[in-house]
Structures are given as structure tokens and as C-alpha cells.
Amino acid sequence: YDVCLVGLLYPQRATLIDKLRSDGLSVFYDIGLIFDEYRQVYNESKIALSWSTLDDLPARVWEGMAMKLPVVTNRVPDLKHFFIEDLDYVGFDTQDEAEQKILGLLSNEEKQNIMKLRYQGMISSGVHTYDSRIQTILETVGLL
């Protein structure tokens, strides 16, 4: 697949997926895959797409990076606390911008490879482990 998004079938997501398919892209979009099936379908894809409907930073962003897939996601407030736009992820605010960013990223193999290398660095540094995130949460709420 060119693009993969496993998640609820919200209208704005469905409209974007329809646009991408009309551009001739192969898109996997479904709900309900878990564990090995989830990892398999993402690892058969070139881009991990995320669109948070609650302005939160979903696990899908972290998972895409952990699978070393370039991540395209809508801009949510917490992204800037963890990642750098256009280095760690490609951000969008609208369906049209998402479509343009996905098409641009698919045609830019060098940028895809740079993002994958950055993810490898993040993974090997241990900066985004569960322990690290829990430590940050506990410090933020004043329990440590």
C-alpha cells in the first residue's frame, strides 16, 4: 500500500481516503486489525497516516515511527513537545493539505529515508520508551 490508516471510519478520514484513491494511490483503511495483522498491514505500506479527531496525540503516530514508516498526521498541540515537523513527521490541517503532503512525500524517497533514519535514532536512544514517557507524566503532575 502507499498509505495505511487503521482506525475508526470518521467522515473526514473517509473523504481523504477517497481523494487519495482517486489520485491512483493504494490505500489500506479499515478498523479492527490488532497485533500481528496490524503490524503486517502497516509494514506493507509506505506511509502511516494518522488523523486525530480529538486533537490528541494518538498511539498511531508513535507506532508508525516505531515501525519506521514516514508519518503524516494532522497537527495537534502535543506534537511540538515531542517531534519536529518536516523532520519527524509531515503535518497537515485540512484534507487538501493532507492530500498534497502525502503525494509530495510519496514522490520524495530521500525525505522518506531521512525520516526513517531519525526514527531509528529515536528508537536506539531510548528517548521515547514507556519508562521515559511515564517519568515525564509523573514529573509534570508533580508526583516526582
Side-chain angles (χ1 to χ4, degrees), residues 8-19 21 29 95:
L8 293 173
L9 305 173
Y10 294 118
Q12 73 275 20
R13 289 177 178 173
T15 301
L16 174 59
I17 298 306
D18 288 344
K19 283 182 172 192
R21 287 178 175 153
Y29 179 44
Q95 288 179 354

Side-chain angles (χ1 to χ4, degrees), residues 98-138:
E99 179 185 21
Q100 292 167 359
K101 296 287 181 99
I102 290 166
L103 292 171
L105 185 56
L106 283 170
S107 68
N108 189 340
E109 203 168 309
E110 181 180 352
K111 183 170 184 165
Q112 292 176 46
N113 290 331
I114 289 169
M115 292 173 81
K116 292 174 187 181
L117 287 172
R118 287 185 61 84
Y119 301 156
Q120 181 61 42
M122 286 182 214
I123 292 165
S124 47
S125 73
V127 70
H128 293 304
T129 64
Y130 284 111
D131 288 342
S132 175
R133 295 286 59 88
I134 290 169
Q135 177 81 23
T136 301
I137 291 167
L138 294 175

Side-chain angles (χ1 to χ4, degrees), residues 8-115:
L8 293 173
L9 305 173
Y10 294 118
Q12 73 275 20
R13 289 177 178 173
T15 301
L16 174 59
I17 298 306
D18 288 344
K19 283 182 172 192
L20 296 173
R21 287 178 175 153
S22 72
D23 290 330
L25 301 184
S26 172
V27 181
F28 184 91
Y29 179 44
D30 204 349
I31 186 170
L33 296 182
I34 58 172
F35 307 123
D36 289 336
E37 291 175 328
Y38 179 88
R39 285 188 299 274
Q40 181 179 347
V41 74
Y42 271 100
N43 282 294
E44 293 173 355
S45 304
K46 296 175 185 172
I47 290 177
L49 175 60
S50 178
W51 190 328
S52 169
T53 57
L54 300 174
D55 277 343
D56 61 337
L57 183 53
R60 188 179 300 105
V61 169
W62 304 91
E63 292 163 352
M65 291 178 183
M67 290 184 273
K68 298 182 199 123
L69 289 169
V71 173
V72 177
T73 183
N74 63 316
R75 295 178 186 98
V76 297
D78 286 339
L79 270 170
K80 65 181 175 252
H81 298 295
F82 300 100
F83 305 112
I84 301 168
E85 186 166 346
D86 291 323
L87 287 177
D88 299 323
Y89 70 94
V90 175
F92 66 87
D93 290 318
T94 67
Q95 288 179 354
D96 288 338
E97 185 181 14
E99 179 185 21
Q100 292 167 359
K101 296 287 181 99
I102 290 166
L103 292 171
L105 185 56
L106 283 170
S107 68
N108 189 340
E109 203 168 309
E110 181 180 352
K111 183 170 184 165
Q112 292 176 46
N113 290 331
I114 289 169
M115 292 173 81

